[in-house]
Amino acid sequence: MRATRLAYKHKHSYKTLWFGLAGTFLVIVGSILFGYAQAQKQEAEKMNPTKPVPSDAELQQKLTKDQYKVTRQCGTETPFHNAYWDNHKPGIYVDLITGEPLFSSLDKFDSGTGWPSFTKPIKSENVTEKRDTSYGMERTEVRAKSSDSHLGHLFDDGPALTGQRFCVNSAALRFVPVEELKEEGYGEYLSLFQPQQQPQSQQKTGDEQPQTKK
């Protein structure tokens, strides 16, 4: 009788142990899945142009004085004394407020003005143009579509490729270097920075040596 009780006790202990191990395993798997879901959520939030733009009061708290003045009050930062006028690193420039992609370093050029200048936006639909007659001048203002932030102005004295110069304030932008594009949720733009392969027909033509007539 005693042996039967001991056997039952051991059997019960094993069952409890297995249930404990199974429970621990489920907790670990659940934690991993929850962590992954949270990481995915944070990545999506980094670049979400459809999310509501923070209120003016919130923006005053989050942005620096210069960032707020430029984006919400159509201000202009000091030339040659801003974050990106001489930035030559490969990457993209996104809306400071929503993270929407605006410009690429591939389209950036040195205009000599002291502000970041681009020949075109990364996507034309991401920026809007507006007539600006302030300070007695006739200009074209450029704004970010998703946040309605003031970016700068558009001029027709750019390089021959487009003839355009998007003169933009660094304070309205955030730069994402190419090595961080995927991590920041902009993986689709990596292809812009990959070397384009030459068509095979052109490669063959370039490799062929001209024949010398005898």
Side-chain angles (χ1 to χ4, degrees), residues 33-48 51 184-185:
L33 291 175
F34 179 76
Y36 176 76
Q38 288 296 102
Q40 291 293 100
K41 184 181 178 183
Q42 286 175 5
E43 184 174 309
E45 285 177 349
K46 285 178 182 176
M47 195 274 288
N48 182 12
K51 69 181 177 183
E184 291 268 359

Side-chain angles (χ1 to χ4, degrees), residues 162-176:
T162 63
Q164 295 182 316
R165 171 169 61 92
F166 287 82
C167 188
V168 184
N169 290 281
S170 294
L173 306 172
R174 182 172 74 87
F175 177 69
V176 183

Side-chain angles (χ1 to χ4, degrees), residues 3-176:
T4 305
R5 285 180 182 173
L6 285 172
Y8 176 78
K9 236 178 174 183
H10 282 303
K11 191 176 180 182
H12 183 71
S13 297
Y14 283 131
K15 189 181 278 188
T16 304
L17 178 63
W18 279 112
F19 274 122
L21 288 172
T24 304
F25 177 75
L26 288 173
V27 169
I28 292 171
V29 171
S31 299
I32 292 171
L33 291 175
F34 179 76
Y36 176 76
Q38 288 296 102
Q40 291 293 100
K41 184 181 178 183
Q42 286 175 5
E43 184 174 309
E45 285 177 349
K46 285 178 182 176
M47 195 274 288
N48 182 12
T50 61
K51 69 181 177 183
V53 176
S55 68
D56 193 66
E58 288 178 291
L59 288 174
Q60 286 192 59
Q61 292 292 323
K62 291 180 178 180
L63 304 180
T64 66
K65 186 178 178 181
D66 284 343
Q67 289 171 341
Y68 182 82
K69 182 181 178 183
V70 166
T71 58
R72 308 328 270 174
Q73 298 177 329
C74 300
T76 302
E77 65 192 2
T78 307
F80 302 104
H81 293 279
N82 53 77
Y84 305 128
W85 75 273
D86 62 346
N87 181 32
H88 302 293
K89 295 178 181 178
I92 66 173
Y93 296 81
V94 303
D95 187 329
L96 177 71
I97 294 173
T98 65
E100 185 173 45
L102 297 174
F103 300 98
S104 165
S105 62
L106 298 171
D107 304 310
K108 189 172 184 286
F109 69 100
D110 183 6
S111 63
T113 60
W115 290 288
S117 298
F118 306 88
T119 56
K120 62 179 180 179
I122 202 166
K123 285 184 180 178
S124 58
E125 60 267 29
N126 290 357
V127 300
T128 59
E129 297 174 15
K130 182 181 176 183
R131 187 185 177 202
D132 179 8
T133 57
S134 61
Y135 303 106
M137 295 184 283
E138 185 77 31
R139 295 180 294 175
T140 301
E141 181 191 6
V142 179
R143 302 186 73 88
K145 185 177 180 180
S146 61
S147 64
D148 194 35
S149 292
H150 171 75
L151 299 176
H153 289 87
L154 172 61
F155 300 95
D156 59 2
D157 57 1
L161 189 63
T162 63
Q164 295 182 316
R165 171 169 61 92
F166 287 82
C167 188
V168 184
N169 290 281
S170 294
L173 306 172
R174 182 172 74 87
F175 177 69
V176 183

